[in-house]
Amino acid sequence: IFFRFKMNDDFYAPKVSASGGCEVFDPYQDVSMGTSIFACKYKDGVVLCADSRTSMGTYVANRTSNKLTQISDRIFCCRSGSAADTQAIAEMVAHYMDQHSMEKGAPPATKTAAKLFQQLCYHNRNMLSAGIIVGGWDKLNGGSVWSVPIGGALIEQDYCIGGSGSTYIYAWCDEHYKPDMTEEEALAFCRGGIAHAMARDGSSGGVIRSVVINEAGAKDHTVAWGEGPYALETDKRIQKLINPAAAVTVSA
């Protein structure tokens, strides 16, 4: 049980030091956290991608965190929201899926893992800040992507985006998505979306982590910072905004 003691207003009032201005931090103040996560079906499986920045307001707590968590051999999840909440839920689901697969004598279905995520998030919706994307491959359904947004809904989608960076790329995703992509096309689609989200969202950044899951298993890859498919600093279309005196030439 957690108790919150009410401090008087003077406790949180800005206090300036003799050397010049340092404000008191409010330990109960809401902290804005951000991320960008992406998952997409392709004809043989699924691709999951995420940035690697863990932020606490304007402070970057971790530049290279891994937001892609393995649940079973062919099931992964993308985590957004509170890092502590989503890590705890993912570990719990992975534990139960391990038991479930031993009881069945077969790998778990992606929908089963997604449904367990949904149950945990829904029944604890007033205590958790967790937005999850579950993606995986199983013999019954092939590749599938499931969204479990904050509040505990469960929605199967062809592709799904989440986190603070996702608000910048809805139109980009609608423009570039196509069904039955190859693995290379799906990887380019997901990485491109994450790169654009990182360019626009100050709470997203770092490297681009990706996992490809199909019948053969799961393989992961990391695109280093500066090697992504898009960066705001190299976009010639906005050079005029960065430097009004610069000449701009855009190829067709």
Side-chain angles (χ1 to χ4, degrees):
I1 300 174
F2 295 89
F3 297 93
R4 175 171 174 172
F5 296 96
K6 178 64 178 176
M7 302 294 184
N8 58 42
D9 293 337
D10 184 61
F11 178 80
Y12 296 121
K15 295 178 174 60
V16 181
S17 65
S19 59
C22 179
E23 293 188 352
V24 172
F25 174 71
D26 180 357
Y28 300 118
Q29 181 181 358
D30 290 337
V31 177
S32 175
M33 295 172 286
T35 190
S36 296
I37 53 177
F38 203 136
C40 176
K41 288 171 56 177
Y42 72 98
K43 64 180 182 179
D44 295 322
V46 297
V47 173
L48 288 78
C49 281
D51 75 310
S52 66
R53 177 175 293 177
T54 299
S55 58
M56 300 168 58
T58 57
Y59 176 71
V60 178
N62 190 341
R63 296 179 297 170
T64 55
S65 60
N66 190 354
K67 303 173 186 179
L68 306 178
T69 301
Q70 187 168 15
I71 304 302
S72 69
D73 289 344
R74 294 181 180 85
I75 302 174
F76 277 71
C77 75
C78 305
R79 301 179 293 105
S80 67
S82 165
D85 290 350
T86 56
Q87 285 173 354
I89 295 170
E91 288 177 3
M92 192 178 300
V93 172
H95 169 72
Y96 283 119
M97 287 300 98
D98 191 32
Q99 290 186 333
H100 180 63
S101 63
M102 286 191 290
E103 290 174 356
K104 286 181 57 182
T110 307
K111 185 177 181 179
T112 304
K115 184 64 177 178
L116 184 52
F117 269 110
Q118 183 264 334
Q119 289 288 303
L120 290 170
C121 291
Y122 176 76
H123 290 293
N124 298 281
R125 61 191 179 278
N126 295 323
M127 296 174 284
L128 297 175
S129 175
I132 306 291
I133 300 174
V134 183
W137 185 96
D138 58 72
K139 289 185 177 181
L140 183 62
N141 301 301
S144 60
V145 172
W146 299 82
S147 173
V148 185
I150 291 176
L154 181 62
I155 309 161
E156 185 177 13
Q157 298 179 272
D158 290 331
Y159 74 88
C160 181
I161 55 179
S164 59
S166 67
T167 58
Y168 298 91
I169 60 170
Y170 277 95
W172 186 93
C173 292
D174 290 340
E175 175 69 22
H176 290 84
Y177 172 75
K178 60 181 181 180
D180 296 324
M181 288 185 283
T182 64
E183 179 180 323
E184 292 74 19
E185 290 173 332
L187 266 173
F189 175 56
C190 291
R191 287 173 178 170
I194 292 294
H196 278 79
M198 289 165 54
R200 296 291 181 179
D201 179 32
S203 297
S204 301
V207 301
I208 301 176
R209 300 191 187 276
S210 60
V211 175
V212 178
I213 310 170
N214 50 37
E215 186 176 6
K219 55 183 179 181
D220 64 298
H221 186 267
T222 299
V223 178
W225 186 87
E227 297 178 4
Y230 177 81
L232 204 62
E233 296 83 358
T234 59
D235 191 337
K236 294 183 179 180
R237 293 172 297 181
I238 66 164
Q239 285 298 317
K240 199 73 174 177
L241 299 176
I242 299 174
N243 181 6
V248 179
T249 56
V250 180
S251 58

